[in-house]
Amino acid sequence: MTADVDVVPELAYGTSGRHMDVHRPAPSSSASPVVLLWHGRGAEERDVLAPLARSAARLGVVAFVPDWRPDAPDGGRTQLAESVAFVRENAARFGGDAERMVLAGWSLGANAVLGVALDPAALGGWRPRAVVGIAGGYRSAAPTTGTVPIDDASRAGDDQVPPIPVHLVHGTADPIVDIEQSRELRDALEERGWPAPLEELATDHAGIVMTEYSVEHQRCLPSTAAHAVDAGTRTAHLLARAAGITVA
């Protein structure tokens, strides 16, 4: 499925005055699945994930991309929770189905979404349809829970709550977050009977979301490099599949 993409920018959410953008496909007669996509450690970097969000929207998902601040006093936990609440309450306004919501994150954002997957109480008992961890590091405390996903994975299933689907993707040439962290998490979950397929792509930390790091701008910017376009496209396809969309 391909579609034109409409972008609704600068939506305020929560009590902190942060903003999010919505990337949505052309209007349809039925509601589309939703992906909430959290950026990494840099404060207010929703623009970094715009190429990935647009690519996913072309496949038929409504992609919400919020700013959040990992340097907030609580590590960003309140803002992340407020972004979830906003999307659950407002998805229908933008053609989305909040009951078919995937939580995805890149880098530190991936750490945060795995915290949600592994702790049913992280968001007051609410659980997404699936989670997607993109180039995540899982050996440090998740902003959403304060616990370490790798450690939590060793206890996965102990609470008798059915696991939700976990999808992982990571670049084999990532110099920022070693791909071994995703492999370690996959292995830990699979040892507990919790499948967590890992897609390994020939790209780096920025290329996995269709960007490249600019020293001049001190920021990741959209990339046209072949490895980034290919990897970012495949990451977008993974988001769509996690949301229940069949893609080639």
Side-chain angles (χ1 to χ4, degrees):
M1 175 179 180
T2 60
D4 294 330
V5 174
D6 175 41
V7 180
V8 182
E10 296 286 330
L11 291 171
Y13 77 90
T15 59
S16 62
R18 304 272 76 80
H19 292 88
M20 69 171 66
D21 298 336
V22 184
H23 303 255
R24 57 184 180 178
S28 170
S29 58
S30 59
S32 299
V34 168
V35 172
L36 175 58
L37 185 57
W38 290 339
H39 65 70
R41 188 171 299 279
E44 301 187 350
E45 287 192 337
R46 72 182 190 275
D47 59 297
V48 171
L49 294 180
L52 177 61
R54 285 195 300 270
S55 187
R58 291 188 185 102
L59 297 170
V61 305
V62 181
F64 292 80
V65 189
D67 279 334
W68 66 287
R69 295 197 65 96
D71 59 353
D74 67 352
R77 183 180 304 186
T78 298
Q79 292 168 16
L80 293 172
E82 287 178 341
S83 74
V84 171
F86 179 91
V87 175
R88 292 181 67 197
E89 293 169 6
N90 294 281
R93 289 172 48 198
F94 304 98
D97 179 0
E99 297 302 314
R100 293 186 291 160
M101 181 172 163
V102 171
L103 195 56
W106 170 60
S107 196
L108 183 61
N111 175 295
V113 303
L114 263 297
V116 172
L118 295 167
D119 183 356
L123 292 172
W126 175 84
R127 308 190 84 199
R129 173 188 180 127
V131 299
V132 180
I134 305 167
Y138 305 108
R139 296 173 186 156
S140 60
T144 43
T145 62
T147 59
V148 177
I150 286 289
D151 295 340
D152 293 342
S154 68
R155 299 184 293 273
D158 287 349
D159 52 19
Q160 303 304 309
V161 176
I164 59 175
V166 172
H167 305 270
L168 304 173
V169 60
H170 211 124
T172 55
D174 190 332
I176 307 299
V177 180
D178 191 337
I179 192 173
E180 286 300 327
Q181 295 206 44
S182 286
R183 292 169 177 163
E184 183 181 1
L185 180 68
R186 174 202 59 197
D187 293 348
L189 287 172
E190 290 186 346
E191 285 176 5
R192 302 289 293 181
W194 191 336
L198 168 61
E199 190 166 353
E200 300 188 8
L201 304 180
T203 191
D204 57 20
H205 196 66
I208 202 84
V209 291
M210 213 176 296
T211 66
E212 58 185 295
Y213 184 72
S214 167
V215 174
E216 177 185 356
H217 294 90
Q218 298 289 292
R219 199 173 191 85
C220 290
L221 301 177
S223 177
T224 58
H227 72 92
V229 172
D230 178 68
T233 298
R234 291 172 67 178
T235 299
H237 281 213
L238 179 58
L239 294 175
R241 291 197 304 272
I245 294 174
T246 300
V247 295

